[in-house]
């Protein structure tokens, strides 16, 4: 997997390149828009991390040019501009996700991993251990037991099962399950996770929902060892 990081601030570019490299990705860095376009023309990147404020051109123009090409990789926009207008504009112009500075590296990594999984076919039935979610009939079972979930609980569970084994931050869960106008606290995720746990985990010795320290939550069958996860 080869990534292109487009960021003029050397400190941030280095931080991103080092972090992504230690996560096992190959990383090229462009410090301005022209260089980003040149590099992305010659190389098939798997993902582009794109800062919006560049010295020679607006990151949104870089995005538009990349999107005009025949094949273009997922683009994760990175910006200090956090207001909703910029964010909507970025997504409208074809960005796949948007992260506002300052951000924690674990959050970036979690988003990168979700983006890399996109484009793979979506199964209609998700299964993790004995937990089964039928996306068409919107039915959840664990073992032989049918589990009744509220719509938001179902959406969270579906999102987590689609990304099994990947840590998902509270922000990612909020943004995935609530619409973009929702500007409440991400604490609501903790409340819903508590409900979900009481429905899909409480009665079973093998837990599915795990707390990931410093990130958020992850769903996986619990064959692998993990730290005790109740607060
Ligand atoms: Ca910048």
């Amino acid at each position: 997997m080869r990534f292109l990081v487009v960021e003029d601030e050397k400190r941030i570019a280095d931080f991103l390149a080092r972090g992504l490299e230690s996560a096992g990705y190959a990383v090229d860095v462009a410090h301005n828009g022209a260089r980003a376009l040149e590099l992305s023309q010659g190389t098939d990147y798997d993902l582009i991390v794109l800062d919006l404020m560049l010295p020679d051109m607006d990151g949104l123009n870089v995005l538009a040019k990349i999107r005009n090409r025949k094949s273009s990789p997922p683009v994760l926009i990175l910006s200090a501009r956090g207001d909703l207008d910029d964010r909507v504009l970025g997504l409208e112009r074809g960005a796949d996700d948007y992260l506002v500075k300052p951000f924690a590296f674990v959050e970036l990594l979690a988003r990168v991993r979700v983006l890399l999984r996109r484009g793979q076919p979506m199964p209609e039935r998700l299964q993790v251990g004995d937990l089964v979610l039928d996306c068409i009939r919107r039915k959840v079972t664990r073992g032989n037991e049918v589990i009744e979930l509220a719509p938001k609980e179902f959406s969270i569970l579906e999102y987590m099962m689609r990304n099994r084994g990947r840590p998902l931050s509270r922000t990612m869960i909020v943004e995935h399950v609530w619409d973009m106008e929702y500007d409440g606290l991400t604490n609501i995720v903790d409340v819903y996770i508590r409900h979900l746990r009481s429905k899909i985990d409480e009665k079973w010795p093998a837990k599915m929902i795990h707390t990931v320290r410093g990130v958020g939550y992850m769903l996986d069958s619990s064959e692998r060892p993990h730290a005790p996860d109740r607060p």
Side-chain angles (χ1 to χ4, degrees):
M1 291 268 173
R2 187 167 205 92
F3 295 177
L4 176 63
V5 170
V6 187
E7 168 62 78
D8 58 311
E9 242 175 286
K10 200 175 173 307
R11 190 178 51 86
I12 300 175
D14 288 350
F15 163 76
L16 287 173
R18 263 203 317 274
L20 290 169
E21 274 162 6
S22 65
Y25 305 107
V27 181
D28 294 337
V29 176
H31 293 291
N32 58 56
R35 181 75 179 136
L37 290 173
E38 186 187 317
L39 282 174
S40 59
Q41 193 122 51
T43 307
D44 271 334
Y45 289 106
D46 297 288
L47 183 117
I48 298 178
V49 179
L50 175 65
D51 180 36
L52 281 190
M53 307 274 212
L54 296 168
D56 56 339
M57 62 177 91
D58 192 313
L60 288 175
N61 291 337
V62 176
L63 175 65
K65 289 202 165 77
I66 289 172
R67 280 288 174 259
N68 274 336
R69 291 176 185 162
K70 224 170 39 221
S71 73
S72 67
V75 175
L76 173 68
I77 281 183
L78 218 58
S79 179
R81 295 190 280 192
D83 60 89
L84 196 60
D85 284 354
D86 278 331
R87 180 165 130 147
V88 169
L89 201 57
L91 295 172
E92 273 176 7
R93 300 255 181 110
D96 298 275
D97 204 354
Y98 193 110
L99 201 54
V100 176
K101 293 177 189 175
F103 55 86
F105 185 74
V106 285
E107 170 94 42
L108 176 102
L109 196 58
R111 284 173 186 256
V112 159
R113 288 179 166 152
V114 169
L115 283 182
L116 292 177
R117 277 184 47 131
R118 273 199 203 153
Q120 293 173 18
M122 288 261 188
E124 292 169 359
R125 183 176 174 276
L126 301 164
Q127 178 157 13
V128 177
D130 57 354
L131 180 67
V132 177
L133 183 144
D134 183 329
C135 306
I136 308 293
R137 291 174 193 80
R138 297 188 73 80
K139 200 176 125 189
V140 176
T141 54
R142 184 158 184 188
N144 295 322
E145 189 158 335
V146 177
I147 298 170
E148 299 293 338
L149 295 180
K152 288 270 189 276
E153 293 167 356
F154 185 93
S155 300
I156 293 173
L157 185 65
E158 181 181 3
Y159 181 53
M160 294 184 84
M161 287 179 80
R162 286 197 191 284
N163 291 289
R164 74 173 287 183
R166 312 233 174 229
L168 302 169
S169 71
R170 291 173 179 81
T171 310
M172 290 169 83
I173 294 171
V174 163
E175 289 181 355
H176 190 85
V177 173
W178 280 267
D179 61 40
M180 270 211 319
E181 317 310 321
Y182 181 81
D183 58 356
L185 298 170
T186 52
N187 295 352
I188 191 153
V189 173
D190 299 330
V191 174
Y192 275 88
I193 291 288
R194 208 150 54 228
H195 294 165
L196 268 178
R197 275 181 162 149
S198 78
K199 291 183 178 179
I200 69 160
D201 267 347
E202 205 165 74
K203 283 194 284 179
W204 285 268
K207 306 303 179 197
M208 294 282 176
I209 297 175
H210 310 288
T211 301
V212 183
R213 194 187 286 260
V215 186
Y217 299 101
M218 178 177 82
L219 187 139
D220 212 345
S221 56
S222 49
E223 287 117 38
R224 67 186 65 185
H226 65 277
D229 57 12
R230 300 279 168 165

